[in-house]
Amino acid sequence: MDRRRFAAAVAAGAVVPVVAGAGQAQAEGTGGQEGLRRQMVKALTGALGDRATAEAEVPRILDVCFDWAPPTVEPAKVDFLLAYAFGNRAPAGGGDPAKVRYEPGPVNRELADTVARIHRRRKVPVYAQWEIAHFLTDVHGLTDVTSIEPVVAPDGTITYLSTYGVAAQVAAARKGLPGGIGTAGVVGFRDHVKRCVLTTRLAGIASAGAPAGTAMPGTYDPRSGQAWTPCGYF
């Protein structure tokens, strides 16, 4: 079960009265997003006994559980591309996974292909986690790529950066540029990219969005070595 199906199942179980009411609302010509919002407010008000809290929480529930579309930016306005890895595979040759890099895996190859397609139309600098950068340089021949590497301790222990850690590193690298940080075109796995955009903004790259009109890779890798990515829990 991937994350979308899981979230849909949880949401369905949590808002059975809402869904039932939504059907009636649609029959009365008051359906759609606004009709769903009203039904959810009504149901949550009944459960909490507090309409003000329901009014405050329903938009968050709608955003997290029902809206999977990332904020976007027009490709012509992108100053640089920022690509986040997803779904590494365990080291092919074995060894201590704390000290041997994971394999990039097929999902990151697809993410690199996506970056390369955008780059052909909009030749801007690329910042990419190393799993993606590897394919961009070795397969696609891009030269304006900055690879975001994991942190390696003196004893060889590898610490992979979080989404926020990657964004913060890129923000720090660009903040001294004459034009400032600029607008980021964020590339990420389909079910990950919205969080990537929001995290990128949180890390200080305020003008960030997925390039409009770009389809992101969305097929999970069942052989992923990251426990939260083979089936969509991340």
Short mmCIF file of all heavy atoms in Angstrom, two decimals, residues 101-102 129-131 147-153 157-161 169:
data_model
loop_
_atom_site.label_atom_id
_atom_site.label_comp_id
_atom_site.label_asym_id
_atom_site.label_seq_id
_atom_site.Cartn_x
_atom_site.Cartn_y
_atom_site.Cartn_z
N ARG A 101 27.97 3.61 1.44
CA ARG A 101 26.87 4.35 0.83
C ARG A 101 25.84 3.42 0.22
O ARG A 101 26.18 2.41 -0.39
CB ARG A 101 27.40 5.28 -0.26
CG ARG A 101 28.13 6.49 0.27
CD ARG A 101 28.19 7.57 -0.79
NE ARG A 101 29.02 8.68 -0.37
CZ ARG A 101 28.99 9.89 -0.91
NH1 ARG A 101 28.16 10.14 -1.91
NH2 ARG A 101 29.78 10.84 -0.47
N TYR A 102 24.60 3.82 0.35
CA TYR A 102 23.52 3.10 -0.30
C TYR A 102 23.62 3.30 -1.82
O TYR A 102 24.27 4.24 -2.29
CB TYR A 102 22.17 3.62 0.19
CG TYR A 102 21.68 2.95 1.46
CD1 TYR A 102 22.50 2.82 2.57
CD2 TYR A 102 20.40 2.42 1.52
CE1 TYR A 102 22.05 2.19 3.73
CE2 TYR A 102 19.93 1.80 2.67
CZ TYR A 102 20.77 1.68 3.76
OH TYR A 102 20.32 1.05 4.89
N GLN A 129 20.78 16.10 -4.47
CA GLN A 129 21.39 15.13 -3.58
C GLN A 129 22.21 14.15 -4.43
O GLN A 129 21.89 13.87 -5.58
CB GLN A 129 20.33 14.40 -2.77
CG GLN A 129 19.77 15.27 -1.65
CD GLN A 129 18.84 14.53 -0.72
OE1 GLN A 129 17.62 14.55 -0.93
NE2 GLN A 129 19.39 13.88 0.31
N TRP A 130 23.27 13.63 -3.84
CA TRP A 130 24.28 12.90 -4.61
C TRP A 130 23.70 11.74 -5.41
O TRP A 130 24.18 11.44 -6.51
CB TRP A 130 25.38 12.40 -3.68
CG TRP A 130 24.95 11.28 -2.76
CD1 TRP A 130 24.41 11.40 -1.52
CD2 TRP A 130 25.01 9.88 -3.05
NE1 TRP A 130 24.11 10.16 -1.01
CE2 TRP A 130 24.48 9.20 -1.92
CE3 TRP A 130 25.46 9.13 -4.13
CZ2 TRP A 130 24.39 7.82 -1.84
CZ3 TRP A 130 25.36 7.74 -4.06
CH2 TRP A 130 24.84 7.09 -2.93
N GLU A 131 22.63 11.12 -4.89
CA GLU A 131 22.05 9.99 -5.62
C GLU A 131 21.53 10.41 -7.00
O GLU A 131 21.55 9.64 -7.95
CB GLU A 131 20.90 9.37 -4.82
CG GLU A 131 21.28 8.87 -3.44
CD GLU A 131 21.05 9.90 -2.35
OE1 GLU A 131 21.23 11.09 -2.60
OE2 GLU A 131 20.68 9.47 -1.23
N SER A 147 26.58 18.68 -6.22
CA SER A 147 26.11 17.49 -5.53
C SER A 147 26.07 17.73 -4.03
O SER A 147 27.06 18.17 -3.44
CB SER A 147 27.06 16.31 -5.84
OG SER A 147 26.63 15.14 -5.18
N ILE A 148 24.94 17.47 -3.42
CA ILE A 148 24.78 17.61 -1.98
C ILE A 148 25.12 16.26 -1.36
O ILE A 148 24.39 15.28 -1.53
CB ILE A 148 23.36 18.05 -1.59
CG1 ILE A 148 22.95 19.29 -2.40
CG2 ILE A 148 23.27 18.30 -0.10
CD1 ILE A 148 23.84 20.49 -2.19
N GLU A 149 26.23 16.21 -0.65
CA GLU A 149 26.78 14.96 -0.14
C GLU A 149 26.36 14.69 1.30
O GLU A 149 26.07 15.63 2.06
CB GLU A 149 28.30 15.01 -0.21
CG GLU A 149 28.86 15.23 -1.61
CD GLU A 149 28.73 13.98 -2.47
OE1 GLU A 149 28.92 12.87 -1.94
OE2 GLU A 149 28.45 14.12 -3.67
N PRO A 150 26.34 13.41 1.70
CA PRO A 150 26.11 13.11 3.11
C PRO A 150 27.31 13.55 3.95
O PRO A 150 28.39 13.82 3.41
CB PRO A 150 25.96 11.58 3.12
CG PRO A 150 26.69 11.13 1.90
CD PRO A 150 26.52 12.21 0.88
N VAL A 151 27.10 13.61 5.25
CA VAL A 151 28.18 13.99 6.17
C VAL A 151 28.89 12.72 6.61
O VAL A 151 28.26 11.76 7.08
CB VAL A 151 27.62 14.73 7.40
CG1 VAL A 151 28.73 15.05 8.39
CG2 VAL A 151 26.90 16.00 6.95
N VAL A 152 30.23 12.71 6.46
CA VAL A 152 31.02 11.54 6.85
C VAL A 152 31.90 11.91 8.05
O VAL A 152 32.72 12.82 7.98
CB VAL A 152 31.90 11.04 5.69
CG1 VAL A 152 32.68 9.80 6.12
CG2 VAL A 152 31.05 10.74 4.46
N ALA A 153 31.69 11.21 9.14
CA ALA A 153 32.45 11.46 10.37
C ALA A 153 33.87 10.90 10.22
O ALA A 153 34.14 10.09 9.33
CB ALA A 153 31.75 10.81 11.56
N THR A 157 31.56 6.93 9.65
CA THR A 157 30.11 6.81 9.77
C THR A 157 29.42 7.85 8.89
O THR A 157 29.79 9.03 8.90
CB THR A 157 29.67 7.01 11.23
OG1 THR A 157 30.30 6.03 12.05
CG2 THR A 157 28.16 6.88 11.36
N ILE A 158 28.43 7.40 8.12
CA ILE A 158 27.73 8.26 7.17
C ILE A 158 26.40 8.74 7.76
O ILE A 158 25.61 7.93 8.25
CB ILE A 158 27.46 7.50 5.85
CG1 ILE A 158 28.78 7.06 5.21
CG2 ILE A 158 26.67 8.37 4.88
CD1 ILE A 158 28.60 6.15 4.01
N THR A 159 26.18 10.04 7.70
CA THR A 159 24.90 10.61 8.10
C THR A 159 24.27 11.28 6.89
O THR A 159 24.83 12.24 6.35
CB THR A 159 25.07 11.65 9.23
OG1 THR A 159 25.68 11.01 10.36
CG2 THR A 159 23.72 12.22 9.63
N TYR A 160 23.13 10.75 6.44
CA TYR A 160 22.46 11.33 5.29
C TYR A 160 21.65 12.55 5.73
O TYR A 160 21.01 12.53 6.78
CB TYR A 160 21.55 10.29 4.63
CG TYR A 160 22.31 9.17 3.99
CD1 TYR A 160 22.54 7.98 4.67
CD2 TYR A 160 22.83 9.31 2.71
CE1 TYR A 160 23.25 6.94 4.09
CE2 TYR A 160 23.56 8.29 2.11
CZ TYR A 160 23.77 7.11 2.81
OH TYR A 160 24.49 6.10 2.24
N LEU A 161 21.70 13.60 4.92
CA LEU A 161 20.99 14.83 5.26
C LEU A 161 19.48 14.65 5.16
O LEU A 161 18.99 13.94 4.28
CB LEU A 161 21.43 15.96 4.33
CG LEU A 161 22.89 16.42 4.47
CD1 LEU A 161 23.20 17.46 3.39
CD2 LEU A 161 23.14 17.01 5.85
N GLN A 169 21.47 23.75 3.38
CA GLN A 169 22.80 23.81 2.78
C GLN A 169 22.78 24.61 1.48
O GLN A 169 23.66 25.43 1.22
CB GLN A 169 23.33 22.40 2.54
CG GLN A 169 24.80 22.35 2.18
CD GLN A 169 25.34 20.94 2.15
OE1 GLN A 169 25.77 20.47 1.09
NE2 GLN A 169 25.33 20.26 3.27
#
